[in-house]
Every structure is written in C-alpha cells, then in structure tokens.
Amino acid sequence: MVNTIARLRGLRHDRVALQHRTPTGRITRGLAAIQTREASSKEQVGRARQPSPRLPDVLVVPGWQARNGPHLNRLVARDRAACDRLRTVHAAGGQVIGLFTGVALLAEAGLLDDSPAVIPWPFVPAVLRHAPSLQIVTGASHAQHQRVWTVDSPLLATDVALMVLQAGGLQALAESARAVLLHSPQRQGLVRAVAQDARSRVGLGSLERARRWLEDHLHEPYSLSDTARAAATSERSLLRHFGQTFGQTPLQMLHELRVTRARMLLETTYLSTEAIAERCGWRDPVMLREVFRRATGMTPAAYRERFRLRSSRREWGKDLA
C-alpha cells in the first residue's frame, strides 16, 4: 500500500521491498534476493563488479500465536536460529521491530539487555526470562531505543511501520501514507461534506447539531445566528456550552474543518487554490493562505508538493499508455 501511495505521488520506483523468511533463513515470499546496485567501477579488464547481497534496512519479527508463557519459551527455543540475523541486521545499522510476542525473540538475541522496552502484559515473565535486565516501559504502546522497536500489540503494526519509514528518511511518504492508512476522526467527520447525499436523520443534541451544521456548511460564509438556529438554541447559550464542551468557539472549529478539507483537496485534486478557497468557504485565496499557514506552518503550495497523493498533471495517464 505504501508503494501504491508513492506511485500516486508520482514516484517512479517502489520505496519498500518485502521479503519473508523462516527463522532458518529460507525465503518464502517476496524478493528472491535483496541486492545492492551494481557498482559503477570496473574490475580488471572491463569486467563489472558483481552486486553483493544487502542486508535489509528493517527486520520485523511478527511473533507467534503463543498460548501462554511456557509455550512462548518453547517457540523462542525452536526459532533461536534467527537471533544471529537479528544481531547482524542491527549491527549493520538496520531497524529491528518486535511485534507482540516477537519481543521475546529480540530479548533472546540480546537486543533488549539493559534497554527500555514494551512487553505485552500476558507474557511479561516469559520475556524477562530471556532478558532479565530489560527496563520495562509502562503506559506506552511501543518503545524505540537505538533502532530496536518493541510493540505490545500486532494491531499497531501499521502505525509503527510508518514511524520506521519516517525514521528512515521517508518522512513525506510516511506522513502521506498515515493520512490514508490510519483512522482520522476529523477527516472521517467530513465524509458528509465529500458525499452530500449522506445525511443523518437521527435526533441530536444541540451541540452535535451545531457541529454537524458546521461540517455540512463549511463552504458557506460563517453565521453564528444560523448555527444557533440549527442547534435550536440562542447564540449566547451556544457560545457558552460550545466552549465548555469543545474548548473552542464555533468559528474556530469551522476554521479547523476548513483546513482539514483544504488538506484533502490539496492532497488528492488538481484544483487551484482559488477553487479550493471557494469550496472551503473562504472568500479569496489570501484568506486560505493566511489561515492555512497559521494552522499548518506551510503555504498551500508547499503542502501540496510535500503531501500530494497523485502524480503531477503532466505525468497523469502515462502509466495507462
């Protein structure tokens, strides 16, 4: 999926190559071999140097479906042969990730000695058996120390994978992928603004009616009286209760919604800033740029270039030729 997003952004080559190996090193899926680029220099009489095998930049231990601590210990003992590769990849500067019970293999490899790490709570005694000096991190879902990542749930694999991409120098791609792959309540809240036929008929409280009014009418000029009328309350009451509940005024929330909508349009369309300003309810592009810069620290043009999820217009359709 990350490679698909990279292509949408106009990048011509995959940024991620996957290879699945058994603990003994046998390749079962993905690349038959990961190799470096062929060296540009020549050896002896015009003979090119052969590409040498390359270690992965990231190695993930997905873990096992262990029934309990003793069962996990037996699985670690069975697959101990993988520890050498873990140590080799890490020593070469690679990132190593342990997901859920996979943390135990990182402990067995010695990568967690005297280091902070997250341990899945059902297997704390089992993991400590392999790394007694491990420093347990509490109150966090993951931890990273010297390129070793420990994660307490397999459900966080996507989140951590994007963090690793970002740490590996692919920050713009990681942030674009995060916008698509991870749940965003604010963006999902604007689905009705994207698809106007999705209208809720459920009775709502005054504040919820006001919030949804703002979402559905973000492209229109702001009116406190219209918002209060939609919420079936007075303007004064709306301002007081809205601030107590959401910590901001209706206008401040509207600006946030408009900025989120503008981000989506900048990422996925070729619309001009003038058209985006109009669709988001700003009277002119100057207001768009002013509010957008204040919210994101970037101009709309700079944001589009960094986070676009489609190729440039001149590249569009070339892959269909």
Side-chain angles (χ1 to χ4, degrees):
M1 187 63 183
V2 171
N3 285 332
T4 300
I5 293 172
R7 297 289 178 134
L8 287 173
R9 288 171 52 83
L11 302 177
R12 296 182 179 276
H13 304 290
D14 289 346
R15 291 301 188 264
V16 178
L18 300 179
Q19 185 182 79
H20 298 255
R21 286 175 177 256
T22 65
T24 58
R26 183 172 61 87
I27 300 172
T28 58
R29 276 194 296 166
L31 295 178
I34 301 177
Q35 296 179 321
T36 56
R37 296 175 182 173
E38 183 174 312
S40 58
S41 61
K42 304 293 183 177
E43 284 186 336
Q44 299 177 0
V45 188
R47 190 169 54 187
R49 183 180 303 168
Q50 294 299 315
S52 58
R54 177 185 174 185
L55 291 170
D57 298 306
V58 181
L59 195 156
V60 181
V61 181
W64 308 266
Q65 295 181 2
R67 296 187 296 273
N68 48 46
H71 185 213
L72 177 59
N73 290 331
R74 291 196 297 271
L75 293 170
V76 170
R78 183 195 69 186
D79 296 336
R80 188 176 288 121
C83 290
D84 285 341
R85 186 164 180 82
L86 293 179
R87 290 188 287 263
T88 300
V89 169
H90 183 257
Q95 310 260 357
V96 179
I97 307 172
L99 295 175
F100 195 45
T101 54
V103 171
L105 195 62
L106 272 60
E108 177 66 20
L111 298 181
L112 302 183
D113 292 346
D114 301 314
S115 300
V118 167
I119 306 177
W121 66 264
F123 300 100
V124 170
V127 174
L128 290 177
R129 178 179 177 181
H130 302 279
S133 62
L134 177 154
Q135 301 170 17
I136 300 177
V137 175
T138 60
S141 60
H142 68 277
Q144 188 275 140
H145 179 68
Q146 296 182 350
R147 306 186 321 281
V148 176
W149 300 71
T150 51
V151 188
D152 72 354
S153 171
L155 296 179
L156 298 173
T158 300
D159 304 66
V160 173
L162 295 177
M163 294 178 199
V164 172
L165 281 181
Q166 186 166 341
L170 298 176
Q171 182 174 0
L173 178 59
E175 292 181 356
S176 294
R178 184 175 287 109
V180 176
L181 299 179
L182 301 184
H183 174 62
S184 170
Q186 194 172 38
R187 289 179 181 237
Q188 286 301 122
L190 290 176
V191 166
R192 285 173 297 110
V194 179
Q196 290 294 331
D197 58 337
R199 289 284 188 265
S200 172
R201 302 300 182 186
V202 180
L204 302 168
S206 295
L207 294 181
E208 183 64 11
R209 283 196 296 268
R211 186 184 66 80
R212 294 203 175 185
W213 168 268
L214 294 173
E215 290 178 353
D216 291 340
H217 297 81
L218 63 82
H219 58 286
E220 300 176 2
Y222 172 67
S223 169
L224 176 60
S225 60
D226 288 346
T227 307
R229 189 177 304 111
T233 188
S234 68
E235 296 178 19
R236 184 174 179 179
S237 295
L238 176 63
L239 287 174
R240 182 173 69 255
H241 294 298
F242 203 95
Q244 291 173 349
T245 301
F246 297 115
Q248 57 186 173
T249 66
L251 181 57
Q252 289 171 328
M253 176 176 283
L254 179 62
H255 280 319
E256 285 189 358
L257 293 170
R258 286 175 171 175
V259 168
T260 299
R261 179 69 173 128
R263 288 186 182 196
M264 296 164 71
L265 293 172
L266 289 167
E267 292 168 5
T268 60
T269 74
Y270 297 106
L271 290 173
S272 65
T273 53
E274 290 79 5
I276 291 176
E278 182 179 352
R279 290 196 180 193
C280 295
W282 285 300
R283 63 178 181 269
D284 56 49
V286 175
M287 279 295 297
L288 163 62
R289 285 190 285 269
E290 180 180 329
V291 177
F292 195 90
R293 182 193 288 270
R294 191 163 59 241
T296 67
M298 304 174 68
T299 64
Y303 183 90
R304 167 172 273 169
E305 179 60 28
R306 181 170 182 178
F307 298 109
R308 56 188 169 84
L309 294 172
R310 79 286 178 273
S311 59
S312 61
R313 188 187 292 272
R314 63 177 176 274
E315 298 290 330
W316 187 84
K318 284 188 177 180
D319 58 334
L320 302 178

